[in-house]
Amino acid sequence: MQLYSKHSKHLLAVDCIIFGYDLLEKDIKLLLIRRNFEPAKGKWSLAGGFVKKDESLDEAACRILCDLTGLKNIYMKQLYSYGDLERDPGARVISVAYSALIKIKDIDKDLAISNGAHWQSLNRLPKLIFDHSSMVERALKDLTVQARIKPVGFELLPSKFTLVQLLDLYSAIYRKQIDKRNFRKKILSMDILEKLDEKEKETSKKGAYYYRFIKSRYNKFIKNGFYFNLDVG
Amino acid sequence: MQLYSKHSKHLLAVDCIIFGYDLLEKDIKLLLIRRNFEPAKGKWSLAGGFVKKDESLDEAACRILCDLTGLKNIYMKQLYSYGDLERDPGARVISVAYSALIKIKDIDKDLAISNGAHWQSLNRLPKLIFDHSSMVERALKDLTVQARIKPVGFELLPSKFTLVQLLDLYSAIYRKQIDKRNFRKKILSMDILEKLDEKEKETSKKGAYYYRFIKSRYNKFIKNGFYFNLDVG
DNA sequence: TCATTAAATGTAAAAAATACACTATTTATT
DNA sequence: AATAAATAGTGTATTTTTTACATTTAATGA
């Protein structure tokens, strides 16, 4: 290809901020990697990799997630591209950050461990290499914004969940207490959850009813001008 | 540099969505270019260029804006990176889109014209090359979101403006009519505008008072937990 | 049957958003 | 000098949304 041939070419990477939610600890976690190559070998980093000649950015992000966790068909959201000259001491690399929301139980644990991956609580993250901490910060900000205006929370929960679990998740995302009654009122009034007959009985004697997010109904409402909004507290 | 040497390198470009606001036509405009090189020579495109070896993405965006308009120190917001394999028929190019909000009168008109640049009304945009129309679409969506929650509108207006002009701008951004009284009430209650003694008298006999946006006061309020919000109608 | 534990529920008050029509100021015209 | 014309500027009542808050219910195990 002759066109554009006088212009510089660049190394291009993708880094993935992979969020999970721990139901028991009521804690948002990130899937981090102990890096096994230079530079910064042995340090904590996001899951990442170089973009290949014949794959799009989105494809690269999905490949990296899948290689690490075995997960396919997960929506990966592009967040931002990091292009500072000195961001990677190994060479000039431009990195495109993607985020994913997954259910911790869905990953192939052995595969993840063999790749040096570990879940780390957001509240006590280790120092990360390069500019990966800024990437995390941006991803977190985006998550809090998105959680307000789109039903992304459900991607972090099992398909059956209780309203208490949903509230705890939102408390973890917003990092503040939320009024139980107002929260239930609000989420139920949207009419996008289905109450199941089954109860979750591990955490209480009374037990809490399970609910399911009905995506098809949500999509129908959206078409009719409905806006998801979970401003609380 | 030996590290990473086995990985592919990519052409990397920046494309700029440059917004302006025409006070008289009450119309948002984009600064578009008649492209003067192959492929797609002679077609309409965004202002763009390749990222150089020794410049960051932000620097590349600023350089491209400055080369075209003479403008320096304009905030350019990175929006999204486009990496589909076939997006540019000339070669595989990854492009990072940036947007800028500028005052039409501030640009170096001769420089812009000599570069093939023209202001085009958003309401009748020509067909753009490659995926540039998607870039514009994303930028517009971002503008409408940002205009609600941040005082970005003022970047499109002269430093002195009337409340009628401000309202017209927001009507153009939101693409809907806005109640005059409620709008004035809301923006004035934020206490971030200063009323000047001077009146604008071109458009009416009575004349409308000029106002100024007081950025320093806005910044102070923000520190105290104030949120700009211009939901209207 | 009583104590324990967490789930589930409703209402009143406050705040925010909305709808809406007339008066004020200046200039140009007769 | 009076009047017409044109846009700027203003206030209130109603509706909707948000917030604050305490008791009852269901199940289990002692």
Side-chain angles (χ1 to χ4, degrees), chain B residues 118-133:
Chain B
H118 303 264
W119 287 106
Q120 300 267 6
S121 164
L122 259 193
N123 299 313
R124 35 184 194 291
L125 284 187
K127 195 174 177 318
L128 300 180
I129 62 166
F130 311 164
D131 48 4
H132 287 197
S133 294

Side-chain angles (χ1 to χ4, degrees), chain A residues 1-5 7-12 35 37-39 50-59 77-85 88-94 96 98 130, chain B residues 1-5 7-12 35 37-39 50-59 77-85 88-94 96 98 130:
Chain A
M1 183 63 64
Q2 196 62 0
L3 286 163
Y4 310 145
S5 57
H7 297 289
S8 307
K9 289 189 152 195
H10 303 263
L11 286 165
L12 191 61
R35 185 163 154 121
F37 56 92
E38 290 298 346
F50 287 94
V51 176
K52 296 184 177 169
K53 222 186 180 111
D54 60 344
E55 67 182 357
S56 70
L57 298 174
D58 290 358
E59 284 162 0
K77 182 180 182 188
Q78 191 197 111
L79 290 179
Y80 199 73
S81 296
Y82 293 78
D84 281 0
L85 292 174
D88 183 331
R92 170 144 207 218
V93 181
I94 289 92
V96 186
Y98 276 78
F130 311 165
Chain B
M1 184 63 65
Q2 197 62 0
L3 287 163
Y4 309 145
S5 56
H7 297 289
S8 306
K9 291 188 150 196
H10 303 265
L11 286 165
L12 191 60
R35 184 163 155 122
F37 56 91
E38 291 296 348
F50 287 93
V51 176
K52 295 182 177 169
K53 221 185 180 110
D54 60 345
E55 68 183 356
S56 70
L57 298 174
D58 290 359
E59 284 162 0
K77 182 180 182 189
Q78 190 198 110
L79 291 179
Y80 199 74
S81 297
Y82 293 78
D84 281 359
L85 293 173
D88 183 330
R92 172 150 203 211
V93 183
I94 289 92
V96 186
Y98 275 79
F130 311 164

Side-chain angles (χ1 to χ4, degrees), chain A:
Chain A
M1 183 63 64
Q2 196 62 0
L3 286 163
Y4 310 145
S5 57
K6 63 170 194 264
H7 297 289
S8 307
K9 289 189 152 195
H10 303 263
L11 286 165
L12 191 61
V14 161
D15 287 303
C16 302
I17 299 97
I18 304 168
F19 288 103
Y21 178 65
D22 188 319
L23 274 175
L24 298 175
E25 296 186 25
K26 301 177 183 180
D27 215 359
I28 296 167
K29 303 206 161 178
L30 282 185
L31 194 57
L32 297 180
I33 308 279
R34 275 234 185 252
R35 185 163 154 121
N36 65 355
F37 56 92
E38 290 298 346
K41 189 170 173 175
K43 302 279 175 60
W44 287 105
S45 89
L46 294 169
F50 287 94
V51 176
K52 296 184 177 169
K53 222 186 180 111
D54 60 344
E55 67 182 357
S56 70
L57 298 174
D58 290 358
E59 284 162 0
C62 288
R63 169 177 58 79
I64 289 161
L65 179 69
C66 183
D67 286 355
L68 189 65
T69 64
L71 288 171
K72 289 182 183 171
N73 299 316
I74 298 287
Y75 172 67
M76 301 209 60
K77 182 180 182 188
Q78 191 197 111
L79 290 179
Y80 199 73
S81 296
Y82 293 78
D84 281 0
L85 292 174
E86 308 297 340
R87 55 172 296 281
D88 183 331
R92 170 144 207 218
V93 181
I94 289 92
S95 178
V96 186
Y98 276 78
S99 77
L101 305 176
I102 69 175
K103 309 183 206 307
I104 290 184
K105 286 189 179 159
D106 284 356
I107 75 170
D108 180 334
K109 216 171 168 184
D110 296 335
L111 180 63
I113 287 171
S114 75
N115 282 302
H118 303 264
W119 287 107
Q120 301 266 6
S121 165
L122 259 191
N123 299 313
R124 35 184 193 289
L125 283 187
K127 195 174 178 316
L128 300 181
I129 61 166
F130 311 165
D131 49 5
H132 287 197
S133 294
S134 333
M135 294 182 181
V136 169
E137 211 172 302
R138 187 178 291 266
L140 250 178
K141 195 166 203 172
D142 182 70
L143 175 60
T144 59
V145 170
Q146 293 305 310
R148 251 171 235 285
I149 59 175
K150 287 189 182 150
V152 293
F154 307 113
E155 294 173 43
L156 289 166
L157 291 173
S159 60
K160 293 188 304 188
F161 51 84
T162 70
L163 292 187
V164 176
Q165 290 171 337
L166 188 63
L167 180 136
D168 286 341
L169 169 62
Y170 273 89
S171 290
I173 294 175
Y174 297 161
R175 290 166 175 278
K176 73 171 169 187
Q177 258 188 257
I178 297 170
D179 182 274
K180 190 163 54 156
R181 275 177 289 190
N182 292 338
F183 180 84
R184 294 173 75 101
K185 208 189 308 172
K186 197 149 195 176
I187 189 75
L188 289 176
S189 75
M190 292 186 198
D191 200 25
I192 55 177
L193 299 186
E194 180 186 20
K195 187 177 185 175
L196 306 182
D197 288 331
E198 197 182 349
K199 274 186 170 182
E200 189 274 338
K201 309 210 47 165
E202 325 260 289
T203 40
S204 88
K205 289 166 182 169
K206 182 177 177 182
Y209 281 104
Y210 277 119
Y211 287 76
R212 240 171 27 85
F213 170 55
I214 312 176
K215 186 150 197 189
S216 58
R217 200 185 298 173
Y218 168 75
N219 287 334
K220 208 177 68 188
F221 289 163
I222 282 295
K223 273 193 195 152
N224 296 326
F226 161 82
Y227 288 96
F228 184 92
N229 184 301
L230 213 44
D231 272 338
V232 266

Side-chain angles (χ1 to χ4, degrees), chain B residues 43-174:
Chain B
K43 300 279 174 60
W44 287 106
S45 89
L46 295 169
F50 287 93
V51 176
K52 295 182 177 169
K53 221 185 180 110
D54 60 345
E55 68 183 356
S56 70
L57 298 174
D58 290 359
E59 284 162 0
C62 288
R63 169 176 58 79
I64 288 162
L65 179 70
C66 184
D67 286 355
L68 189 66
T69 63
L71 288 171
K72 287 181 183 173
N73 299 318
I74 298 287
Y75 172 66
M76 301 208 62
K77 182 180 182 189
Q78 190 198 110
L79 291 179
Y80 199 74
S81 297
Y82 293 78
D84 281 359
L85 293 173
E86 308 297 341
R87 55 172 296 281
D88 183 330
R92 172 150 203 211
V93 183
I94 289 92
S95 178
V96 186
Y98 275 79
S99 77
L101 305 177
I102 69 175
K103 309 181 205 307
I104 290 184
K105 286 190 177 156
D106 283 358
I107 75 169
D108 181 334
K109 215 171 169 183
D110 297 335
L111 180 63
I113 287 172
S114 74
N115 281 302
H118 303 264
W119 287 106
Q120 300 267 6
S121 164
L122 259 193
N123 299 313
R124 35 184 194 291
L125 284 187
K127 195 174 177 318
L128 300 180
I129 62 166
F130 311 164
D131 48 4
H132 287 197
S133 294
S134 333
M135 293 181 180
V136 169
E137 212 171 300
R138 188 179 290 265
L140 250 178
K141 196 164 203 175
D142 183 70
L143 175 61
T144 59
V145 170
Q146 293 304 312
R148 252 170 233 283
I149 59 175
K150 286 188 183 151
V152 293
F154 307 114
E155 294 173 42
L156 289 165
L157 291 173
S159 59
K160 293 188 303 190
F161 51 85
T162 70
L163 291 188
V164 176
Q165 290 171 337
L166 188 63
L167 180 135
D168 286 341
L169 169 63
Y170 273 90
S171 291
I173 293 175
Y174 296 162

